[in-house]
Each structure stands twice: as C-alpha cells, then as structure tokens.
C-alpha cells in the first residue's frame, strides 16, 4: 500500500512516498522557500536526484509540482494518482479535539481551521495541503496526524498557566506543545539506542520552528512551545519567550496595532529580527567572518536552549541524554558546541572531533566519560506519520 506523506511548513513542503507496512521509501523531497522567486525543489528516488530552482508562489503550486514529478515519464515513480491509497498530513494544532491520528472529515477540517488562529503560520498551510490533495487524490484516504498529540501526557502542573481558572475551563487556554511527532520519533530512537526502559531525555528540535521536550520513560512531561507555537526558544522568525508586557508597551506607548505586533513577533523576530537572515547557514557564515551581530544572535539562541536544559533537568530530576534533531540540530555543529559549552554541572561534555563529523546516522558526540549522552538523531516525522496513518486505516 502506497502512502504519501505531506508535511507542509510555513514556507516549505516535505514529502515522502512510502510502501507500507514494509516502510520502504519510494521517493522523497522538499520544496523550500515557497512564496519566493527562487524556491528550491529537491526530489530523490533510488535512481535519481534532482534539484530545480523556480518561482513557486503558493503551497498549491508546490503540491502540483510534486505530483507532476511523481508521475514524470522519466523520473516518476507512479503511473497515476490512483496508486496512492493514503495521504497522511502533518497538522500542527489539534487543540484538545484530537489526541490521536484521525481520518479527515469536513468536521475535522473545520476544527483545523478553527485552530488556525492559534497556529497562524502552520494550520493554514496544512489545510491548504489537505484541500489540494483531496482534489488530486480523490480516492485516497486523507489522514491527519497532529503535532499536539504526543504532549497530551504533560501533567496539569506543567500544562496550566497561572491565569484565572475560567480561562482554562471555558476557553481551554493551556500548554498544548508542538513538534510532537518529531519529539516522539527521536525519543523512541534514543530509548532504543540507550537500551534503557526508564530514561530521562531532553529532545531539542531545532528547525525553522524550535522546541524542547522533557521526556520521562517515553512520555512528554513538559515542552517549550505552549498554547501556540510561539514561545520558548529563539526561532527563525519567532521571538520565543518575551515579557508579555512588551506587547502592551508596543500597543499603548509605541502605537503599534495588534496585527502589527503579531506580525512583528511571529514573522519578523527571532534570528531574522536579530540578523536580517532566517537561514542559519547565512548567519553562521557571517559570524565566522567576524560579524558581531550574527555572533550575538547565535549566542542568544544557544543561551536560551541552555536555560531550558537546566529547567528540564529539574523537571526530570536527572538526565540520561540530550538529543539534537531537525535542520539545525542535525547539521549545525556550531550551535551544538555553543549549547554544550560549560554544561559540566549537568554532566554534559561534548567531544569536538565527534561533533564535527557530518553524517545522516544516529550518532553520539559526547566524550567517552561524559555521564550524559549527547545524541544527534535525524528526525523522521514522515515515517512516524506513515506508521500512524497505516495503523489507523488498517
Ligand atoms: P522546518 O522547521 O521548516 O521543518 P528544518 O528542520 O528543515 O525546518 O530546518 C530548517 C533550518 O535548518 C534552516 O534554518 C536552515 O538554515 C537550517 N539548516 C539546514 N542545513 C543546515 C546546515 N548545514 N547548517 C546549519 N543550519 C542548517
């Protein structure tokens, strides 16, 4: 049975076509920089690898481009769209409505739309992906896998905000957490790698969106993104934690409108706000050439992660391993080094030579005598989605 996995981010669409239950990867790819004139499409099969740069304005254009490639006479892997039995969609915010993977119905789409106010960078793109796929693959089962589901195990004392009870009881204002499929996937891999059933792990997902999760015995007990995917770590364009009184100051004294504040903190802050770049590769390259603004942004970013490690060691009452994952976590030896520097109080000791090795495999980058393992584990949200979608439909 062929399952197409669609993981549409704010400006990207990752896709994988898999044969299940054998977990055989048929092809994979990524459309990056959607909304720009120089969007990049990467497409990979067992035989071919292809990179195209072209203007792609919307997620819909990106998805149609993917479908063209899948059916391409030369490099394609299917004869027609009917061969795809399931389309599994990553959906960022499922609120309290969805604790499990679910078949997409009109009601589910309404719910995803409703939660778009809480995940404005993601749920609209996710929903657009669903609408386009329903048209392109009318016979396939459309399944949604929610980023919030893994964090349903967070205890009340960690998921509640100290605001009047009514806001929780009537309006469900609480920590939901995100990147659940990624934290679940890498923490399961880490547990297998460590060979420990009882384990205390901190998973650090650093992509365009960034979050950390404290995972105790395989379950999420706290996470850095909260009610929306806004707070916690410094992200590509999002500020992460700020004093909320800054918002009142911007509105009352600096005369920003609420929409302007939202755009400022969601789309113009984070690494972009600090440096003018959102791609960490650009920032690292400038910092290496002595650009102080870029170096400071990297230091701010790493310092925030360190503080969350400290907090989560307290939440877990110990630590067996930290796991770096996603675009930055897997590839940036510079960020990993900054995060792990002077963390001996927690038993975290990085081995530089191991940190500098590039690999797609799970790897350990701590010193031989480091009490805490430092692992780099490539995330595979798509495989996690495929497994859950297949299990649901069958
Ligand atoms: P998303 O959150 O959209 O899924 P990814 O997990 O793909 O994002 O991560 C995207 C981020 O990874 C970008 O900021 C990019 O700069 C960063 N990245 C990718 N490759 C590298 C690299 N070799 N070095 C540093 N950063 C990288």
């Amino acid at each position: 049975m062929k399952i197409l996995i669609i993981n549409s981010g704010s400006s990207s669409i990752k896709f994988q076509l898999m044969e299940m239950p054998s977990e055989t990867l048929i092809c994979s790819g990524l459309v990056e920089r959607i909304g720009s004139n120089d969007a990049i499409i990467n497409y990979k099969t067992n035989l071919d690898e292809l990179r195209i740069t072209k203007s792609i304005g919307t997620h819909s254009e990106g998805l149609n481009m993917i479908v063209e490639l899948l059916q391409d006479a030369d490099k394609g892997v299917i004869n027609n769209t009917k061969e795809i039995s399931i389309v599994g969609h990553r959906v960022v915010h499922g609120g309290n409505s969805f604790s499990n993977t679910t078949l997409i119905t009109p009601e589910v789409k309404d719910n995803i739309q409703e939660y778009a106010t809480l995940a404005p960078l993601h749920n609209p793109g996710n929903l657009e992906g669903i609408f386009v796929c329903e048209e392109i693959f009318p016979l396939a089962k459309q399944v949604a896998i929610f980023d919030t589901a893994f964090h349903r195990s967070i205890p009340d004392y960690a998921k509640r905000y100290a605001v009047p009870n009514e806001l929780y009881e009537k309006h469900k204002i609480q920590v939901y957490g995100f990147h659940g499929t990624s934290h679940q996937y890498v923490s399961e891999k880490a547990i297998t790698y460590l060979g420990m059933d009882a384990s205390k792990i901190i998973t650090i997902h650093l992509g365009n969106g960034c979050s950390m999760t404290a995972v105790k015995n395989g379950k999420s007990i706290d996470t850095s993104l909260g009610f929306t995917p806004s707070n916690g770590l410094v992200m590509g364009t999002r500020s992460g934690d700020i004093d909320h009184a800054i918002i009142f100051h911007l509105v009352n004294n600096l005369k920003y409108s609420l929409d302007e504040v939202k755009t400022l903190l969601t789309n113009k802050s984070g690494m972009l706000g600090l440096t003018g770049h959102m791609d960490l590769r650009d920032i690292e390259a400038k910092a290496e050439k002595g650009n102080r603004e870029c170096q400071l942004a990297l230091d701010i970013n790493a310092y925030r992660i360190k503080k969350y490690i400290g907090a989560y060691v307290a939440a877990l009452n110990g630590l067996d391993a930290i796991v770096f994952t996603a675009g930055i976590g897997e590839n940036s030896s510079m960020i990993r080094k900054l995060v792990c520097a002077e963390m001996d109080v927690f038993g975290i000791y990085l081995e530089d030579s191991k940190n500098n090795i590039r690999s797609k495999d799970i790897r350990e980058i701590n010193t031989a005598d480091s009490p805490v393992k430092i692992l780099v584990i490539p995330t595979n949200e798509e495989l996690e989605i495929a497994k859950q979608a297949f299990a649901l439909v069958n």
Side-chain angles (χ1 to χ4, degrees), residues 7-14 30 32 90 122 179 205-210 235-236 238 271 278-284 325-335 358 360 379 381-382:
N7 182 348
S8 28
S10 44
S11 60
S12 64
I13 304 172
K14 277 188 192 151
L30 172 67
E32 279 181 288
R90 173 198 177 203
H122 300 96
H179 297 139
H205 176 110
L206 306 175
N208 285 314
C210 301
M235 302 178 229
R238 285 167 266 170
M271 296 308 271
M278 65 178 279
D279 194 313
L280 199 83
R281 286 165 283 202
D282 300 333
I283 299 165
E284 288 186 348
T325 194
I328 294 169
E330 290 165 33
N331 295 301
S332 173
S333 52
M334 192 188 275
I335 283 284
R358 294 185 68 85
K360 289 272 169 218
T379 193
E381 290 164 291
E382 290 74 19

Side-chain angles (χ1 to χ4, degrees), residues 74-95:
D74 189 25
K75 302 194 176 345
V77 287
I78 55 171
N79 294 317
N80 63 61
T81 52
K82 290 186 190 134
E83 286 178 38
I84 308 235
S85 310
I86 304 174
V87 185
H89 298 267
R90 173 198 177 203
V91 179
V92 165
H93 210 312

